[in-house]
Amino acid sequence: MAEHEPYDLGPPCPSCGEPWLRATNLPGRYRCVNCLTRFELRSQCPDCGSHSTIARMSDLKNVRCRNCGGSMLTPV
Ligand SMILES: [Zn+2]
Ligand SMILES: [Zn+2]
């Protein structure tokens, strides 16, 4: 079910756990404004290797692997 979110904060940062991931001006690249770690959105899950069809690279809702639920973001 959809999680109740008072604000559209997006997914938590894989590094610090805070929901401050923001898209950068590079497609598929994100940066956490809390810990300043940069991430790249991969088309292949770094955990289970499952490929994901990312229809909207700019949509932060789609950064989770549909197979294992892990994050598709890897630190750059
Ligand atoms: Zn962070
Ligand atoms: Zn996975």
Side-chain angles (χ1 to χ4, degrees), residues 12-21 31-39:
C13 169
S15 179
C16 69
E18 298 294 328
W20 296 118
L21 282 179
R31 189 182 66 147
C32 174
V33 296
N34 182 58
C35 67
L36 303 182
T37 305
R38 294 170 188 271
F39 297 94

Side-chain angles (χ1 to χ4, degrees), residues 2-63:
E3 298 174 14
H4 180 72
E5 294 176 336
Y7 297 100
D8 191 14
L9 291 174
C13 169
S15 179
C16 69
E18 298 294 328
W20 296 118
L21 282 179
R22 294 293 180 268
T24 70
N25 51 9
L26 293 173
R29 294 294 186 95
Y30 299 91
R31 189 182 66 147
C32 174
V33 296
N34 182 58
C35 67
L36 303 182
T37 305
R38 294 170 188 271
F39 297 94
E40 181 181 25
L41 183 59
R42 308 298 298 268
S43 59
Q44 185 175 13
C45 176
D47 290 328
C48 71
S50 174
H51 280 274
S52 170
T53 303
I54 301 173
R56 297 172 60 193
M57 291 291 285
S58 61
D59 190 349
L60 272 172
K61 302 286 187 201
N62 290 338
V63 300

